[in-house]
Amino acid sequence: MTRALQLMSETPLIDGHNDLPWQLRKQFNNELNKVDLNTLETTHTNIPKIKEGRLGAQFWSAYVPCETQYKDAVRQTLEQIDVVHRMCQKYPETFMFATSSQDIMEAFRMNKTASLIGVEGGHSLDSSLGTLRTMYHLGVRYLTLTHSCNTPWADNWLVDTGSEPSQHNGLSPFGKQLIVEMNRLGMLIDLAHVTVKVMNQVLDMSKAPVIFSHSSAYSICPHKRNVPDDILKRVNETRGIVMVNFYNDYVTCSKTAKLSDVADHFDHIKKVAGVGIIGFGGDYDGVTRLPEGLEDVSKVPKVVAELLKRGWTDEEVKAALGKNLLRVLGEAEKVRDSLNGTNPDDVPIPYEEVKNTCRTSYGYPNAGPAHSLSTLALLLTLALQALIALTPS
């Protein structure tokens, strides 16, 4: 443990996924003024636990449920982004808002937790590239392409279980546009929650390395939220990262798990695809069951100690702690910079792919029933004239 803490003082522990912002909505409706993160005890995450767990950087999840799709997903996601910003403002001695690999290292030198944002679920965009860009400007640095529901342009992991039909055979043409635009922006593509088909399509076309922000190894626990060996190898070839999830159901495929079971996932990924693709993605505050010994974010150093006990070298541990993620983010930033002269993609998704009663069609020519006021006035005039013509004089 002494050696683990020493390594964690030299390299930031960067965690790919924590759902504290969702807990703040669920428990307090985002009323941060009513919460003290120094004393909060109804979550896996609070400031003392963060300090004890030596959390160097965190991708906080801006997550809203699939039920918001086609309704108020964008508004609710903006509110989750807002709560992360306010959290950093309320506790400046603990958190530093971050958007780059450079920011992460700067926060680490200041002994603060670098706070980045990932949006968990493509439904949060409402199928809009403009919304994607706006969220990037607000500091979002990864998008999980789907949560546990299909979007109008991508299939989610439940399709692979057979419980939901495939709608797009992976990614639709608009889904592919989105991947290209994310590369141009420098936003990381998160493949946790998608089908294997989508994983392969993105690995084929993305210029930047991809991430799995909170997924484990399918060979150890054959749950469709986990990553199969052939994909692990492709992630290695494309220099991406798989950040290991601690949720019991993805660790042992059962209700219970131990710390050593989590370490088995680290060992397996290292064996199959090398230490260069491994990271931490605990999923704290987003799950209901955690392994014995890993009950909250304060316990993460125990995983590091376990890996050292299993013969991992200092350099291997540092790679998994943070160096791999720093490399991936840095490479996405380089791809962004190389595409600097490229225009933003402003071709919208075809209206028939998103048409529903909650969506207007302004801007789409020939979009059907959503008539403009002038058209309605014309139709009304014609109807009145027809009525007058039919009325006997």
Side-chain angles (χ1 to χ4, degrees):
M1 182 55 87
T2 307
R3 192 166 143 219
L5 295 176
Q6 177 60 37
L7 294 177
M8 293 175 92
S9 73
E10 295 164 12
T11 303
L13 161 65
I14 306 173
D15 184 90
H17 199 86
N18 182 302
D19 274 300
L20 178 63
W22 176 245
Q23 293 301 327
L24 293 174
R25 178 182 286 273
K26 228 168 72 165
Q27 297 182 33
F28 306 101
N29 207 12
N30 285 349
E31 292 182 67
L32 264 192
N33 296 328
K34 294 183 177 174
V35 187
D36 185 352
L37 286 185
N38 291 296
T39 56
L40 180 65
E41 285 300 337
T42 53
T43 53
H44 301 141
T45 314
N46 64 22
I47 288 170
K49 288 170 183 169
I50 284 168
K51 299 286 186 203
E52 199 183 330
R54 306 295 202 280
L55 185 60
Q58 181 66 63
F59 280 91
W60 301 106
S61 173
Y63 158 77
V64 300
C66 279
E67 292 85 342
T68 62
Q69 180 156 233
Y70 311 122
K71 296 171 191 158
D72 53 357
V74 175
R75 171 182 62 81
Q76 290 216 24
T77 305
L78 291 175
E79 289 170 349
Q80 295 312 102
I81 292 168
D82 169 67
V83 87
V84 176
H85 281 281
R86 287 190 289 125
M87 194 169 85
C88 295
Q89 284 158 5
K90 185 173 176 180
Y91 304 99
E93 65 298 328
T94 302
F95 303 117
M96 179 185 127
F97 192 76
T99 59
S100 65
S101 45
Q102 198 180 331
D103 287 350
I104 292 173
M105 289 315 296
E106 191 185 327
F108 188 61
R109 282 189 288 271
M110 293 163 69
N111 205 20
K112 294 181 182 183
T113 298
S115 295
L116 301 97
I117 299 176
V119 165
E120 188 182 14
H123 61 283
S124 283
L125 300 183
D126 202 7
S127 303
S128 160
L129 295 169
T131 303
L132 174 78
R133 287 186 284 270
T134 302
M135 288 181 177
Y136 182 86
H137 294 315
L138 293 174
V140 174
R141 286 300 174 268
Y142 77 65
L143 172 73
T144 317
L145 295 182
T146 68
H147 191 249
S148 301
C149 52
N150 291 345
T151 68
W153 41 270
D155 288 338
N156 85 96
W157 68 276
L158 288 167
V159 169
D160 285 346
T161 68
S163 67
E164 281 189 13
S166 166
Q167 286 175 264
H168 314 289
N169 193 22
L171 287 172
S172 77
F174 179 80
K176 291 172 182 172
Q177 274 176 259
L178 190 91
I179 299 306
V180 174
E181 188 64 356
M182 287 177 74
N183 280 173
R184 190 192 69 80
L185 284 169
M187 193 185 287
L188 294 169
I189 299 158
D190 178 19
L191 298 178
H193 284 277
V194 297
T195 58
V196 171
K197 181 74 189 265
V198 173
M199 295 174 194
N200 276 307
Q201 285 173 312
V202 174
L203 287 162
D204 284 343
M205 64 181 293
S206 177
K207 290 185 168 78
V210 304
I211 71 167
F212 287 80
S213 69
H214 57 308
S215 296
S216 299
Y218 186 83
S219 283
I220 301 285
C221 161
H223 191 293
K224 295 296 183 186
R225 268 284 282 105
N226 287 337
V227 190
D229 285 359
D230 59 323
I231 300 288
L232 291 175
K233 288 172 184 155
R234 292 204 65 192
V235 172
N236 177 41
E237 286 156 18
T238 51
R239 295 175 58 75
I241 188 170
V242 176
M243 307 178 89
V244 176
N245 192 318
F246 296 176
Y247 181 39
N248 292 355
D249 300 45
Y250 305 160
V251 170
T252 57
C253 287
S254 72
K255 300 285 180 259
T256 59
K258 300 187 299 296
L259 188 149
S260 60
D261 297 317
V262 172
D264 291 346
H265 284 265
F266 281 82
D267 274 344
H268 179 81
I269 296 168
K270 185 175 98 164
K271 188 179 86 201
V272 168
V275 80
I277 76 157
I278 305 175
F280 287 74
D283 210 358
Y284 281 107
D285 280 310
V287 298
T288 45
R289 290 180 284 276
L290 286 154
E292 207 179 305
L294 288 176
E295 292 80 6
D296 60 56
V297 295
S298 71
K299 317 283 191 191
V300 179
K302 289 185 177 181
V303 178
V304 182
E306 175 68 18
L307 296 177
L308 290 167
K309 204 167 85 179
R310 291 179 179 211
W312 286 47
T313 67
D314 288 7
E315 276 315 304
E316 286 174 334
V317 166
K318 285 179 171 186
L321 275 173
K323 285 189 169 178
N324 290 339
L325 192 280
L326 287 166
R327 180 199 74 239
V328 168
L329 187 53
E331 289 193 16
E333 290 162 356
K334 274 186 202 146
V335 169
R336 172 198 69 198
D337 296 343
S338 74
L339 296 170
N340 200 7
T342 315
N343 287 331
D345 182 351
D346 57 6
V347 178
I349 191 166
Y351 184 65
E352 58 275 10
E353 292 177 23
V354 286
K355 189 173 168 182
N356 67 64
T357 51
C358 294
R359 197 182 194 97
T360 55
S361 63
Y362 295 114
Y364 284 97
N366 314 316
H371 297 296
S372 70
L373 288 173
S374 55
T375 315
L376 284 172
L378 178 66
L379 289 171
L380 199 58
T381 309
L382 290 170
L384 277 169
Q385 285 172 347
L387 198 61
I388 290 161
L390 289 170
T391 308
S393 50

